[in-house]
Amino acid sequence: MANYRRRRWRESMAVRLDLNGLLAATVGADGVAPEDLATLEPALGRVRAELAARRATGGLEFADLPYHRDDVRRVIEVATAAREEFDTLVVLGIGGSALGASAICAALPGQTSGLHIVIADAIDPEAFGTLLEQLDLRRTLFNVVSKSGETAETMAQFLIVRDRLLRELGAVDYKRHLLVTSDAQQGALRQIVNDEGFRALPIPAAVGGRFSVLTTVGLFPAAAAGVDVEELLAGAASMDERSKAAATPLADPPLALGGLLWQLATSRQKTIVVLMAYCERLAATADWFCQLWAESLGKAVDLDGRTVEWGQTPVGALGTSDQHSQLQLYLEGPRDKAVVFLRLEDHGTNIDVPATYQDLASVGYLGGHSLGELLNAEQRATELALAKRGRPSATLTLPALNAFTLGQLFYLCQMATVAVGALAGIDPFGQPGVEEGKRLAWGLMGRPGFEASRAEVEAWLARKDARFVI
Amino acid sequence: MANYRRRRWRESMAVRLDLNGLLAATVGADGVAPEDLATLEPALGRVRAELAARRATGGLEFADLPYHRDDVRRVIEVATAAREEFDTLVVLGIGGSALGASAICAALPGQTSGLHIVIADAIDPEAFGTLLEQLDLRRTLFNVVSKSGETAETMAQFLIVRDRLLRELGAVDYKRHLLVTSDAQQGALRQIVNDEGFRALPIPAAVGGRFSVLTTVGLFPAAAAGVDVEELLAGAASMDERSKAAATPLADPPLALGGLLWQLATSRQKTIVVLMAYCERLAATADWFCQLWAESLGKAVDLDGRTVEWGQTPVGALGTSDQHSQLQLYLEGPRDKAVVFLRLEDHGTNIDVPATYQDLASVGYLGGHSLGELLNAEQRATELALAKRGRPSATLTLPALNAFTLGQLFYLCQMATVAVGALAGIDPFGQPGVEEGKRLAWGLMGRPGFEASRAEVEAWLARKDARFVI
């Protein structure tokens, strides 16, 4: 009976995708036309088969994370122990090592018995200095997260924190305040773990940073906060099951969403996808999505090595705030955007607007409505205003915001990203472009072996035309 | 002597624009070529004359705000009184009524004797409810900010807060916890102020929300926090003076920046401008800029009424975090972006990385450097990495972050926006596109007179094809 109720509850918590607003039937020439769908559907069928084959041979490890229940039990164990020892968890990580944890911890409240979570992804000395000043080091656990163990920002933070801990707590005690999440086999951080005997959690070798939200990287901070991480995985698994059970590719949520956005990018010049969340707690999830979409799909060459310079620029937006900031541009500016709304059916908390100033037409109508109603009315109004101007949008509705629905959303976005990669013929993994910048920064920082990079930066700075420095 | 020292200090605090990275000489085909400059310079000369003429006849009121010293004294007076009575100031406002105050208060520390400032721009019931729970109402002043006095979100917040104050503090005392900033003459909020006798500050009639950072809208919360608002205005004025004193349009900072970005938008398909701040405290300033650029320049028709659907999409980014999120796309994706870096010469706080693990090549090099050095090295490396891929960027350097440099930055961005408006032949003021959405939302909320809008939304929702709701 408990299982039956849980199944019914989960069915009621299925994330819904309304894709009508992306179609020409709704928005006219800038939408996906029936003839586009006729060619898209078989292409999506091929992508579906290809992704299934890759999964079957272990080539898409992130997709199977919802079923790695043993890893999760280990994470919960370590997190439970940490909750007994500490009050605060500071995650030292950046990019994929920060955004997933940040998304979960901002979206879900955790438990009152959970740790207070701080994601320290920046090396801004003012921000990092202020944070360090505010912490009670004796009650703080630092989770150092870097898969490669070479990330300059995270390693610099780690060295600073290690030094402070050492000085404040002594050479014996300081170690229990550090927990390293990194590749289990390689990298400088792994070597340091081995030498120093720090506690550590492994990141699966075949899962990259931006697909790591459901690994130790995202799940440990979540579990430490008291989030039900098994429910997150159950949500992800349920999206996977819906996907597999879909009768056609266009009924498969990630394939349909990815397929239509790809179609709009390639045949309707929608070079920008706006993820607009009507819920403050989902703003960090929008940031997480922006990394996923940008870094996975922004690639110079396709799988055959041809120059394509592909990509669709993701932009995070927040309703209703960005109605008063970006919407004018979305409605009247270039027709280069597809908008994806994130909408909550039930906001959890309800605040009613009291009936006041009923004689004032421009104020009185608000009385008796709740803030959640107003928020959702604004979302619908924005959706229709865009459609009336011929601007395509999709709406993802979460019945409520909880671990189960957030897990679905993560999985949906990740699989949609991989589907677009397959349609565009590019590799959604890796980030070859950013290596050059790392070398140049190493050169400027005096890392041995990168003297030529330093010289290159200096020569470039010296070459600048003084007339254009004003 | 004090004046002499101050002048020298201010000279040392001039914001520098390095525009070399936007030129073909630096980045090749995707940069502005010498022949573009040859036609751009006279066009900018005409814009300069046009803007000067508009200012002379009072048609560009925001541009003269740095010289409205009487208004500022009044703001400081009210803020000083508020600081004696309260601990916290909550700004109830959205869009232009929130972003300027948010930018200033995030960028500048204020004084320890200043009020704690919270910008409540959202109607998310969970976020707003949590905020209300945390406040000590007896020690809190609410600044209700809406020029029109009709903004649904702000009015809903106001009604909720008014009701709580009334119930907690009684019908006499509650009034002193409300301070209204709105149009001095018209709107529902002004009428309420007059009827109820709330305290109020005026917004100049001719200054719109996104150009209001240097009016009561931005300055009152800043002064309440203890920011030196006269120094903000002095910074703005100094940028204005540099602009006026420039020998040529291309030596005039806002014209040069705006002109080159416009050139790249129109002749090099740079449809996106990324403002990438290498300083956490400037992230809110990037949000402020994004509103300014999007809402001012995203317009369907030009001044002659012709359909142009113009605009350049602004994207806020944060260094180094977005190097691990967006940079891959910027480097390898479509050539549709111009990046503007915000860089601090001196970060104020200094944190050194201790020399540790010197035998590990990928870690040891960090020792002895400061976080500020690392941050600035990453910025330079990113700038050059973009240039090597032929991607244009400009760098704005603030010698330090303070009220004087922030004032310069605000003025620079605002005048650059107006300059681009003039070059593109569009009206940078007003936001005609968003009116439709407001009507639709009013309809859904049951505002009398908008029954047809409600029916329109409902008919549209009913028309959706069920096959595309999955």
Side-chain angles (χ1 to χ4, degrees):
Chain A
M1 187 58 186
N3 273 344
Y4 168 75
R5 282 217 186 107
R6 169 171 288 221
R7 203 168 64 233
R8 286 291 296 268
W9 180 84
R10 284 184 172 173
E11 281 168 16
S12 76
M13 284 293 148
V15 172
R16 291 194 305 281
L17 285 75
D18 182 347
L19 303 172
N20 280 288
L22 299 177
L23 303 177
T26 308
V27 294
D30 280 286
V32 176
E35 56 272 26
D36 298 321
L37 285 177
T39 54
L40 180 62
E41 189 146 20
L44 282 175
R46 289 189 293 275
V47 166
R48 207 180 188 197
E50 182 197 323
L51 295 182
R54 281 167 72 183
R55 273 182 83 168
T57 55
L60 216 58
E61 189 164 331
F62 84 88
D64 291 315
L65 289 170
Y67 309 102
H68 288 200
R69 299 296 166 98
D70 285 350
D71 297 353
V72 178
R73 273 190 283 274
R74 165 88 179 124
V75 162
I76 294 173
E77 231 173 76
V78 179
T80 306
R83 286 165 63 174
E84 308 213 334
E85 271 188 278
F86 304 101
D87 297 331
T88 299
L89 176 76
V90 177
V91 176
L92 304 178
I94 195 165
S97 298
L99 291 160
S102 181
I104 300 172
C105 295
L108 304 176
Q111 297 167 353
T112 46
S113 64
L115 298 185
H116 172 60
I117 311 292
V118 179
I119 313 291
D121 75 333
I123 52 165
D124 183 312
E126 206 275 337
F128 196 58
T130 304
L131 170 65
L132 290 182
E133 267 169 41
Q134 287 167 345
L135 293 171
D136 176 358
L137 291 187
R138 288 160 308 164
R139 305 292 303 158
T140 302
L141 175 64
F142 292 89
N143 184 200
V144 186
V145 187
S146 168
K147 186 152 185 254
S148 69
E150 295 213 349
T151 313
E153 294 92 335
T154 307
M155 296 311 284
Q157 290 178 322
F158 162 62
L159 296 184
I160 290 164
V161 163
R162 176 185 173 281
D163 182 62
R164 301 241 170 149
L165 287 170
L166 247 175
R167 284 191 283 132
E168 190 156 328
L169 306 172
V172 176
D173 274 0
Y174 91 95
K175 289 192 182 178
R176 69 177 188 89
H177 293 261
L178 288 163
L179 172 70
V180 173
T181 305
S182 73
D183 190 279
Q185 306 298 332
Q186 53 193 2
L189 203 46
R190 174 54 49 181
Q191 191 174 334
I192 291 170
V193 165
N194 294 342
D195 292 352
E196 302 267 27
F198 295 133
R199 286 184 288 185
L201 287 168
I203 306 176
V207 180
R210 58 188 176 271
F211 290 90
S212 72
V213 62
L214 299 179
T215 70
T216 49
V217 174
L219 296 183
F220 174 72
V227 167
D228 185 344
V229 293
E230 290 182 302
E231 198 63 14
L232 264 176
L233 294 191
S238 85
M239 182 57 73
D240 186 31
E241 282 148 22
R242 265 174 79 186
S243 199
K244 284 176 182 156
T248 67
L250 282 175
D252 177 333
L255 283 186
L257 178 64
L260 290 174
L261 289 176
W262 174 80
Q263 186 72 45
L264 290 172
T266 50
S267 70
R268 296 291 185 284
Q269 295 79 49
K270 306 306 167 201
T271 53
I272 297 173
V273 59
V274 177
L275 188 68
M276 189 164 187
Y278 276 73
C279 170
E280 295 267 299
R281 287 168 288 165
L282 287 172
T285 297
D287 290 340
W288 169 84
F289 169 81
C290 286
Q291 186 210 23
L292 181 68
W293 207 256
E295 212 171 49
S296 301
L297 301 175
K299 294 288 155 74
V301 295
D302 69 9
L303 290 165
D304 298 322
R306 286 174 300 218
T307 298
V308 290
E309 297 190 336
W310 210 82
Q312 192 182 32
T313 300
V315 173
L318 193 64
T320 64
S321 303
D322 279 311
Q323 291 177 209
H324 300 266
S325 171
Q326 302 302 305
L327 186 59
Q328 167 66 30
L329 173 72
Y330 300 170
L331 288 166
E332 293 205 341
R335 295 174 177 269
D336 56 5
K337 295 173 187 73
V339 176
V340 177
F341 292 106
L342 286 183
R343 171 190 168 94
L344 290 195
E345 206 66 55
D346 176 354
H347 287 270
T349 310
N350 205 19
I351 301 182
D352 288 318
V353 183
T356 326
Y357 306 122
Q358 295 289 293
D359 51 321
L360 289 178
S362 61
V363 179
Y365 71 96
L366 291 163
H369 293 289
S370 72
L371 287 188
E373 265 180 274
L374 177 57
L375 196 50
N376 286 357
E378 294 282 353
Q379 187 274 325
R380 281 285 182 237
T382 302
E383 192 184 330
L384 178 50
L386 284 167
K388 289 184 76 171
R389 297 258 182 169
R391 318 277 166 145
S393 76
T395 303
L396 308 191
T397 301
L398 281 63
L401 183 54
N402 52 50
F404 188 72
T405 55
L406 188 65
Q408 293 175 63
L409 189 58
F410 286 149
Y411 203 84
L412 168 67
C413 292
Q414 290 183 328
M415 291 305 288
T417 302
V418 172
V420 174
L423 286 165
I426 55 173
D427 178 6
F429 307 111
Q431 49 282 333
V434 299
E435 296 307 318
E436 167 102 53
K438 287 184 191 171
R439 280 191 297 274
L440 295 169
W442 284 331
L444 280 175
M445 294 297 283
R447 179 171 170 176
F450 295 88
E451 293 75 11
S453 296
R454 181 193 196 101
E456 187 180 358
V457 180
E458 285 172 353
W460 181 68
L461 289 172
R463 251 197 335 266
K464 287 185 176 182
D465 185 336
R467 282 174 302 168
F468 294 99
V469 181
I470 53 178
Chain B
M1 185 62 187
N3 273 341
Y4 168 76
R5 280 217 186 108
R6 168 170 288 218
R7 204 168 64 232
R8 288 290 298 267
W9 181 82
R10 284 184 171 172
E11 281 168 18
S12 76
M13 284 294 147
V15 171
R16 290 195 305 281
L17 285 74
D18 181 348
L19 303 171
N20 279 287
L22 300 177
L23 303 177
T26 308
V27 295
D30 280 286
V32 176
E35 58 271 26
D36 298 322
L37 284 177
T39 53
L40 180 62
E41 189 147 22
L44 283 175
R46 288 188 293 274
V47 166
R48 208 181 188 198
E50 182 196 324
L51 296 182
R54 281 167 71 183
R55 274 181 82 169
T57 56
L60 216 58
E61 189 164 332
F62 84 88
D64 291 316
L65 290 170
Y67 309 102
H68 289 199
R69 299 295 165 98
D70 286 348
D71 298 354
V72 176
R73 274 190 283 275
R74 165 88 180 125
V75 161
I76 294 172
E77 232 173 75
V78 180
T80 306
R83 285 164 64 175
E84 308 214 333
E85 272 187 279
F86 303 102
D87 297 331
T88 300
L89 176 76
V90 178
V91 176
L92 305 178
I94 194 165
S97 299
L99 291 161
S102 181
I104 300 172
C105 295
L108 304 176
Q111 297 167 354
T112 45
S113 65
L115 298 185
H116 172 60
I117 312 292
V118 179
I119 313 290
D121 75 331
I123 52 165
D124 182 313
E126 206 274 337
F128 196 60
T130 304
L131 170 65
L132 290 182
E133 268 170 39
Q134 286 166 346
L135 293 171
D136 176 357
L137 291 187
R138 289 161 306 163
R139 304 291 305 157
T140 303
L141 175 64
F142 293 89
N143 184 199
V144 186
V145 188
S146 169
K147 185 150 186 257
S148 69
E150 296 213 349
T151 313
E153 294 91 336
T154 306
M155 295 312 284
Q157 290 179 323
F158 162 62
L159 296 183
I160 291 164
V161 163
R162 178 185 171 282
D163 182 62
R164 301 241 171 150
L165 287 169
L166 247 176
R167 284 191 283 131
E168 190 156 328
L169 306 171
V172 176
D173 274 1
Y174 91 94
K175 288 190 184 179
R176 70 177 187 88
H177 293 261
L178 288 163
L179 172 69
V180 172
T181 305
S182 73
D183 190 279
Q185 306 299 332
Q186 52 192 3
L189 202 47
R190 173 54 48 180
Q191 190 173 337
I192 291 170
V193 164
N194 294 342
D195 293 352
E196 301 266 29
F198 296 132
R199 286 185 288 186
L201 287 168
I203 306 176
V207 180
R210 59 187 176 273
F211 290 89
S212 72
V213 62
L214 299 180
T215 69
T216 49
V217 173
L219 296 183
F220 174 72
V227 167
D228 185 344
V229 294
E230 290 181 303
E231 197 64 14
L232 266 175
L233 294 192
S238 85
M239 181 57 74
D240 186 31
E241 283 148 22
R242 265 175 80 185
S243 198
K244 285 175 182 157
T248 67
L250 283 173
D252 176 334
L255 283 185
L257 179 64
L260 290 174
L261 289 175
W262 174 79
Q263 187 72 45
L264 291 171
T266 50
S267 70
R268 297 291 184 284
Q269 294 79 50
K270 306 307 167 200
T271 54
I272 297 173
V273 58
V274 177
L275 188 67
M276 189 163 189
Y278 276 72
C279 170
E280 295 267 301
R281 287 169 289 166
L282 287 172
T285 297
D287 290 341
W288 169 85
F289 169 82
C290 286
Q291 186 210 24
L292 182 68
W293 207 256
E295 213 172 50
S296 301
L297 301 175
K299 294 289 156 72
V301 294
D302 68 10
L303 289 165
D304 298 322
R306 287 174 301 218
T307 298
V308 289
E309 298 189 337
W310 209 82
Q312 192 182 31
T313 300
V315 174
L318 194 63
T320 65
S321 303
D322 279 312
Q323 290 177 212
H324 301 266
S325 171
Q326 302 303 303
L327 186 60
Q328 166 68 29
L329 173 72
Y330 299 170
L331 287 166
E332 293 204 343
R335 295 174 178 269
D336 56 5
K337 294 174 189 72
V339 176
V340 177
F341 291 107
L342 285 183
R343 168 189 170 96
L344 290 195
E345 207 67 55
D346 176 355
H347 287 271
T349 309
N350 204 20
I351 301 181
D352 287 319
V353 183
T356 325
Y357 307 123
Q358 296 288 294
D359 52 322
L360 289 178
S362 61
V363 179
Y365 72 96
L366 291 163
H369 292 291
S370 73
L371 287 189
E373 265 182 274
L374 177 57
L375 196 50
N376 286 358
E378 295 281 354
Q379 187 275 323
R380 281 286 182 236
T382 303
E383 193 185 330
L384 179 50
L386 284 167
K388 289 184 75 170
R389 297 255 182 172
R391 317 277 166 145
S393 76
T395 303
L396 307 191
T397 301
L398 280 62
L401 183 54
N402 52 49
F404 188 73
T405 55
L406 188 64
Q408 292 175 63
L409 190 58
F410 286 149
Y411 204 84
L412 169 67
C413 293
Q414 290 183 328
M415 291 305 290
T417 303
V418 172
V420 175
L423 286 165
I426 55 173
D427 178 6
F429 307 111
Q431 48 283 332
V434 300
E435 297 306 319
E436 168 102 52
K438 288 185 191 170
R439 281 191 294 275
L440 295 168
W442 285 331
L444 281 174
M445 295 298 284
R447 178 171 171 178
F450 294 88
E451 293 75 11
S453 295
R454 180 193 197 104
E456 188 181 357
V457 180
E458 286 173 351
W460 180 68
L461 289 172
R463 251 196 336 264
K464 287 185 176 181
D465 186 335
R467 283 174 301 168
F468 294 98
V469 182
I470 52 179

